[in-house]
Amino acid sequence: MFGRHELSERTLQYLDAVARFGSIRSAAVAIGVNASTISRQIAALEDQLNLGLLMKSGRVTVLTEMGKVVCNYGLERARLTRRFQASLQEYRTLERGHVTIGSGEGLVTVLIKAVLHKFVASHPGITIEIRTAALPQLVQMVRDDEVDVCIYAGAARDPILNARPFQTEPLCAILPVMHPLARKEKVTIEEIVHSPLIFFQPHFAAQTYVDAILEDRQLNYFPVFRCDMFGTALSLVAHNLGIAFMTKGAAQDYVDLNRVCAVPLDHPIASAFQRYVAVRAGRRLMPAAFDLWRDILSANSNGS
């Protein structure tokens, strides 16, 4: 298919780097390789295939159509290699190896409390890698087999995901401990909408629920703060700078330290805040990753 020689994995990595960083020079700086080495290797690959792989688009270097095909081939080959090596590690030794978990940032505390204590105790030889990202990035990580298992909030309708619900916890207003509403059992959005509010970026699941509640109540509001990390929002609340929205589980460390209070929102949308655990559809999990999947699915609704 590719002539007399197999395509070089390193050259395919160089091609991907040029595509990602927009020029040979930028790719060289990013991956720590001499630019002339990248240029020479890609030129040799073009000669081998008798195809042009790169072209200029304005001031940026981009892949040709066949360049995209070759680059995608390299990425898929790398994914298959990772799967193969993981399988060898698991079945050649008695060690459990390595498990990578993808998680929404707001779910890390939930993951630790509800799952990881039990999992670490039963798998003392395993290395656990936790990678946090927004939902679109998590889906891509699952698609590319960069994570074994991912957990997220809100529905992601993607056929690549074999996703199952594992917890439901109400969306809460996260209030300063001295706020007049902090001791109520529930609060309505109307009770707090005129207070300084702290929102997340629009792609956050918690924010999509808040936006839906505001729309349902026909309320318009512009926040005082908009954050891209739950920890930032919690710190702002703890310093009495506003009210944020997330589950009690996501705020649990701050709640336990009596730095904030979590009061459920009194709205049907807020009561249906669902968490999911997902793997790539059709993927056969290694034993440790399968045990993690099972442990997450068995986690109960209060995260204990």
Side-chain angles (χ1 to χ4, degrees):
M1 177 181 178
F2 298 118
R4 295 169 54 192
H5 304 289
E6 180 59 61
L7 300 190
S8 162
E9 180 178 349
R10 181 170 298 176
T11 305
L12 292 171
Q13 291 171 348
Y14 292 163
L15 187 65
D16 175 62
V18 174
R20 285 187 290 118
F21 295 104
S23 73
I24 290 176
R25 184 175 299 277
S26 296
V29 171
I31 65 177
V33 176
N34 192 286
S36 63
T37 299
I38 295 178
S39 180
R40 185 170 60 252
Q41 293 283 347
I42 292 178
L45 179 58
E46 289 178 321
D47 288 342
Q48 178 184 349
L49 299 177
N50 195 26
L51 292 168
L53 303 177
L54 298 175
M55 64 180 182
K56 283 287 188 180
S57 177
R59 302 176 68 178
V60 178
T61 300
V62 298
L63 298 174
T64 64
E65 286 303 313
M66 283 308 301
K68 295 176 184 177
V69 171
V70 173
C71 190
N72 288 337
Y73 163 77
L75 294 173
E76 182 60 27
R77 195 171 79 174
R79 285 193 287 268
L80 290 171
T81 298
R82 287 196 297 270
R83 294 177 208 165
F84 175 67
Q85 291 173 342
S87 297
L88 285 181
Q89 181 181 9
E90 293 260 344
Y91 287 107
R92 276 181 172 173
T93 73
L94 297 177
E95 297 176 358
R96 291 289 190 157
H98 181 277
V99 171
T100 303
I101 308 167
S103 174
E105 190 242 338
L107 294 180
V108 172
T109 299
V110 174
L111 177 70
I112 293 170
K113 184 178 180 184
V115 178
L116 290 188
H117 280 292
K118 174 184 176 182
F119 184 77
V120 169
S122 60
H123 298 77
I126 197 170
T127 298
I128 302 168
E129 179 180 355
I130 301 174
R131 301 181 60 182
T132 60
L135 182 53
Q137 285 71 47
L138 287 176
V139 173
Q140 191 62 46
M141 288 179 188
V142 173
R143 184 183 295 273
D144 293 342
D145 286 342
E146 293 181 13
V147 299
D148 299 299
V149 177
C150 84
I151 62 172
Y152 61 91
R157 296 176 178 84
D158 192 308
I160 200 67
L161 296 180
N162 176 11
R164 299 185 189 179
F166 74 97
Q167 283 187 348
T168 300
E169 186 179 5
L171 190 66
C172 294
I174 308 301
L175 303 158
V177 291
M178 300 305 294
H179 194 282
L181 300 174
R183 303 306 168 195
K184 294 193 66 174
E185 291 187 5
K186 288 187 175 183
V187 295
T188 65
I189 194 71
E190 289 84 357
E191 289 178 284
I192 57 177
V193 75
H194 297 298
S195 301
L197 298 187
I198 302 165
F199 284 2
F200 293 108
Q201 297 300 322
H203 61 264
F204 276 59
Q207 190 59 48
T208 63
Y209 276 65
V210 171
D211 291 343
I213 293 169
L214 290 171
E215 182 179 355
D216 179 68
R217 296 299 196 217
Q218 298 183 341
L219 297 170
N220 292 314
Y221 191 83
F222 294 96
V224 175
F225 297 96
R226 192 179 285 275
C227 305
D228 63 358
M229 294 185 66
F230 282 77
T232 303
L234 287 165
S235 183
L236 290 169
V237 176
H239 285 86
N240 200 29
L241 289 172
I243 298 172
F245 302 91
M246 63 187 78
T247 65
K248 184 178 180 180
Q252 194 65 58
D253 289 345
Y254 276 69
V255 172
D256 290 344
L257 292 171
N258 198 34
R259 297 190 65 193
V260 303
C261 291
V263 181
L265 285 171
D266 189 5
H267 192 282
I269 292 175
S271 65
F273 195 78
Q274 185 73 63
R275 296 178 180 133
Y276 294 84
V277 56
V279 297
R280 180 175 56 79
R283 180 176 180 181
R284 180 183 177 186
L285 293 175
M286 293 297 102
F290 179 81
D291 289 347
L292 177 66
W293 162 266
R294 180 193 59 201
D295 288 352
I296 294 173
L297 284 174
S298 68
N300 63 33
S301 61
N302 62 19
S304 61

